[in-house]
Every structure is written in structure tokens, then in C-alpha cells.
Amino acid sequence: NKLFHEANRATRQTLLAQGVSSEVGSSIMLVPERGFTRFLITSATLDRDYAAHKLTNVKERQIAITTLDAFAAAHPLVPFHRTVVKIDVEGHELKVLEGAGDFLARWHPIVFIEIFLRPANVSAIVSLVAARGYRLMAFADFGLVTLQPDDLIHFLGDRNFLLVHESCCDPARTVINYADVGQFWPTAAS
């Protein structure tokens, strides 16, 4: 969205009129109707199961889609080894990661990802990124916390996480394990 791009003063990014998924082609994007103040235009998604869209009227738009693998292959001169990727796709995270296997394996980018926490989605995401050598981490008051799959029950709704490849840093020096500090973390029961 050009307005979002301008509002955030994005000067070192390139705006592309494409969605990102697990395949190259086209897909239907669901866009909340303007005027519904509870959801922003940035709540558009390719995920028909995204809960927010069950609460509002949406318009369907046919859009071109690509994968991160295809995008990287089409731009061979870009130094992706210095890349930070932000994935905020309103429930479509798994599909984006499925289309990024070669990209993640070759470039090991740091990935900031908002995950819509539904059990089947989370389990598949955790398995997929672990198989590619990534650790799932969360931000806490006391630093970065490495999460295990069972730790995600402490998070509700959409949450931002960090995916860091095992080659990027020494986990013993840079993170705290969630199991060691779990008693300090608010849970669904607290």
C-alpha cells in the first residue's frame, strides 16, 4: 500500500505490487472495507481463515503472488546475506515460509515474523523453521528468549517473534531459555 509506505517514511525499500505465498501465480486477497475502524487496510490477507475477516466485510481482489525463493532467483545481484525479512501476513505465515526454503537455506536472513497463533499453524511453522536451522525467539523485558514449541501456549493472538539461523550467533551468549524464566512470563492463566 503506497499510503502505508509513505506514512512510514520508507526510503530504502522497494514497493512491489505482489503478494508472497508458497507458489508463483495469482490469488485472491481479502481486503477489509474502508470505514470499518477496527481493522486497518494493512489487515489484508490471502488467508481465508484469518479470524478478523469473519467480523467485517471484505472485498476480494485478484493479485499476483510470488515466493521468496522466486524473488531471490529473479534478483541474483542483490546481497541477501545482509537481509532482514519482516513477515506480517495476517495468518498466511506458513505459506510464505513454505515458499522460502531455498532463500532461508542459502542466505540465513534474520526474520521478524508476526504469527497468528492457531495450533496447527504454529506446530507446522515451528517444525518447518527448526528443520531449516532456525531458532524461534521472543522479546522479553530481560532480553531475547529462545522458545520451544510447548512454550507457545503462553502466547495468545497475533505475536511477533524472531527467527534466527543457528549460524548467526552463539545462543549461549545471546539468549535466555524460556524454561529458565517461565515463572516471570505472563501466561494465559495470569
Side-chain angles (χ1 to χ4, degrees):
N1 181 303
K2 185 177 179 182
L3 295 175
F4 180 78
H5 194 258
E6 290 171 0
N8 287 287
R9 297 186 180 136
T11 58
R12 295 182 57 195
Q13 297 81 22
T14 302
L15 183 63
L16 301 174
Q18 280 186 308
V20 181
S21 192
S22 58
E23 57 191 43
V24 175
S26 66
S27 185
I28 299 294
M29 181 168 63
L30 305 172
V31 181
E33 288 186 357
R34 289 186 185 263
F36 195 83
T37 58
R38 200 162 161 210
F39 301 101
L40 300 173
I41 189 102
T42 57
S43 294
T45 184
L46 299 175
D47 187 346
R48 291 199 170 273
D49 294 328
Y50 185 60
H53 293 139
K54 298 189 185 303
L55 304 174
T56 184
N57 294 327
V58 294
K59 292 182 180 178
E60 294 187 358
R61 289 196 177 153
Q62 186 82 21
I63 64 163
I65 58 172
T66 191
T67 65
L68 287 175
D69 288 344
F71 179 82
H75 298 85
L77 300 178
V78 175
F80 290 113
H81 64 282
R82 294 188 180 115
T83 299
V84 174
V85 175
K86 171 64 171 134
I87 299 173
D88 186 349
V89 290
E90 313 305 333
H92 201 67
E93 302 85 13
L94 180 60
K95 293 293 187 183
V96 171
L97 291 169
E98 287 173 347
D102 294 339
F103 179 76
L104 295 173
R106 179 173 181 193
W107 299 107
H108 306 148
I110 293 173
V111 180
F112 288 95
I113 184 168
E114 181 182 69
I115 299 176
F116 181 58
L117 296 174
R118 50 184 176 205
N121 201 26
V122 170
S123 175
I125 288 171
V126 169
S127 296
L128 187 144
V129 298
R132 291 187 170 103
Y134 277 82
R135 291 188 308 276
L136 180 66
M137 305 167 94
F139 296 98
D141 292 339
F142 37 79
L144 282 174
V145 179
T146 300
L147 300 174
Q148 300 304 316
D150 292 342
D151 296 333
L152 292 173
I153 62 168
H154 300 286
F155 299 89
L156 299 173
D158 295 349
R159 293 288 188 253
N160 286 294
F161 298 96
L162 186 64
L163 302 177
V164 179
H165 192 266
E166 58 195 16
S167 67
C168 292
C169 61
D170 177 1
R173 294 181 44 182
T174 59
V175 299
I176 302 166
N177 286 317
Y178 179 84
D180 298 334
V181 294
Q183 68 271 20
F184 302 111
W185 200 276
T187 65
S190 58

